[in-house]
Amino acid sequence: EVEWTVNGKPLKTGHRFRPAYDFDYVALDVLSVYPEDSGVYTCHARNAYGEAVSSATIKIIGQSQVVSESRTEMSQFQYLETKTSGRAEFQEETTTQAPVFTTSPKSVEVKEGQKAHFEARIIPVSDPTLKIEWFLNGQPIKLGSRFREGHDFGFVSLDISHVLCVDTTA
C-alpha cells in the first residue's frame, strides 16, 4: 500500500495530483503548481513486513514574487522555460507511435466474491494522449466502486474488487 500526505494530512489525488506506483518505482506528479501547494510531501509505503517513509519539501514562488526578482534571475527563468518547452516538443515527437502491447493480460479463474487483477504492458510509455479502455464481452467496462484501472509508465491494470457471476466471459 502506498499513501501520500502533505504537511501530515492525506493528499487528495485527482486531476492535479497524480500518484504513480509501478513495482519499485513511486512518484507523485503535481500539475500546475500554486503557492498553496508548498509544503512537505511524504510517501508512506506499507506491506505485511513493515513501513518505509520518505519526504521532500517543495516551495512554490507566486507570480508576484517572480516578477519582482532581478533581471538576472528573470533571464534564468526564461532560459528554463525555453528549455522546458523544448523538452515538451521533443516528447510530442517521440509519441507518434501507435500503441503496442508488449505483454497481454492473463486469464484468471476466481470464485465469486474474490478479487481479480489483470495487467499488461504497453508502449509508448510517454504518450499523455493515450486512452486505455477495458471491455467485457465486447462492451466497455464502466469504472466505479468494483472496477478500478491503473495506467502508469506503460503499465496498465484492471482490478475487480468483488467478482460476480455476471463478470464472466460469454
Side-chain angles (χ1 to χ4, degrees), residues 8-9 11 16 18 37 51 57 69 73 83 85 90-91 102 109 114 123 125-126 134 154 162:
K9 297 177 184 170
L11 178 69
R16 289 191 322 111
R18 298 180 180 179
D37 296 327
E51 177 179 3
T57 301
E69 300 293 7
E73 289 170 326
K83 188 176 178 182
S85 64
F90 176 73
Q91 275 189 334
T102 57
E109 189 173 310
Q114 290 182 326
I123 55 173
V125 298
S126 60
W134 292 87
H162 186 86

Side-chain angles (χ1 to χ4, degrees), residues 72-86:
T72 304
E73 289 170 326
M74 284 303 293
S75 66
Q76 289 174 343
F77 282 119
Q78 289 170 343
Y79 168 76
L80 290 172
E81 286 173 352
T82 305
K83 188 176 178 182
T84 302
S85 64

Side-chain angles (χ1 to χ4, degrees), residues 133-136 139-148 158:
E133 192 169 15
W134 292 87
F135 289 80
L136 174 64
Q139 298 298 313
I141 292 176
K142 193 174 186 180
L143 300 175
S145 61
R146 287 192 322 114
F147 297 94
R148 297 222 185 264
L158 175 69

Side-chain angles (χ1 to χ4, degrees), residues 112-113 146 160 162-168:
E112 189 170 18
R146 287 192 322 114
I160 306 173
H162 186 86
V163 175
L164 301 176
C165 286
V166 296
D167 298 330
T168 60

